[in-house]
Amino acid sequence: MFKFYTLYLRKLNLKMKFPVPVLLFLVALASCGKTDTVCPYNDSNVVAPATEIANLSDSLAKYNINADQAASGFFYKVNSQGSGASVVNLCSIVTVSYKGMFFNGKIFDSTASNQTASFQLGEVITGWQKAIPLVNKGGDIDLYVPPSLGYGANAYRDIPGNSYLIFNVHVSDIQ
């Protein structure tokens, strides 16, 4: 290839200022510019069944919890809206500190004290995917999630199947 290129330049009576490998490197480098990637996660259309919404509403009333209902069937209470960045899509990277528990108060998961966890929003349960965008960076939200927007009928770690879940979430950062 190099010989052909050199002969071609000689035929054109041009002097080669850069060797071919350097030119190829520069072309390759120029083509490596940042490209926009498409987010591989799709927004879920799952809506909790009426029975799950009714059971969750009854539990909230039993524990005297006042929360708003989202169209998909989870309930939430925004404690602080926050004033920073907001979620762009399910590929947004969210950094949070949180505590997950059952209605009986038993904690099944949480970030360690003074620690955070980061993840793409599309990697977590549907209830979080729908709720976290309701606050901005610096916001705090309480989530009340029915099974179909949580882990469903299957047990997951220490969470039995068909569990109703409570999460206290502080959003430290959104990218």
Side-chain angles (χ1 to χ4, degrees):
M1 168 96 178
F2 182 72
K3 267 187 166 178
F4 173 77
Y5 186 72
T6 304
L7 291 173
Y8 179 73
L9 288 176
R10 282 187 188 157
K11 185 176 181 181
L12 293 176
N13 203 18
L14 297 172
K15 292 185 178 182
M16 190 167 72
K17 294 183 180 183
F18 294 105
V20 173
V22 172
L23 288 174
L24 291 174
F25 173 75
L26 292 175
V27 169
L29 185 63
S31 68
C32 288
K34 184 177 181 182
T35 59
D36 291 332
T37 57
V38 176
C39 182
Y41 302 108
N42 294 317
D43 191 22
S44 173
N45 294 327
V46 174
V47 175
T51 55
E52 287 185 6
I53 295 170
N55 288 340
L56 184 53
S57 181
D58 289 346
S59 293
L60 292 171
K62 177 181 175 182
Y63 291 98
N64 204 24
I65 298 170
N66 186 21
D68 296 316
Q69 181 182 343
S72 59
F74 70 90
F75 288 76
Y76 66 95
K77 181 180 174 190
V78 174
N79 301 312
S80 171
Q81 182 61 47
S83 59
S86 60
V87 169
V88 175
N89 60 33
L90 293 177
C91 283
S92 295
I93 298 173
V94 181
T95 302
V96 300
S97 54
Y98 70 94
K99 179 171 47 174
M101 66 190 107
F102 303 110
F103 273 90
N104 66 8
K106 181 182 177 194
I107 297 171
F108 60 82
D109 192 16
S110 69
T111 51
S113 182
N114 297 319
Q115 298 294 312
T116 59
S118 296
F119 49 83
Q120 280 188 312
L121 195 54
E123 298 173 342
V124 296
I125 61 172
T126 303
W128 276 50
Q129 291 175 13
K130 300 284 188 186
I132 299 301
L134 297 175
V135 296
N136 297 10
K137 176 181 176 180
D140 287 288
I141 189 168
D142 293 334
L143 311 177
Y144 307 93
V145 181
S148 60
L149 301 178
Y151 297 101
N154 300 316
Y156 179 77
R157 296 187 184 173
D158 294 334
I159 303 169
N162 293 316
S163 291
Y164 291 82
L165 309 172
I166 301 172
F167 294 96
N168 305 116
V169 184
H170 172 75
V171 180
S172 302
D173 196 14
I174 299 173
Q175 298 177 355

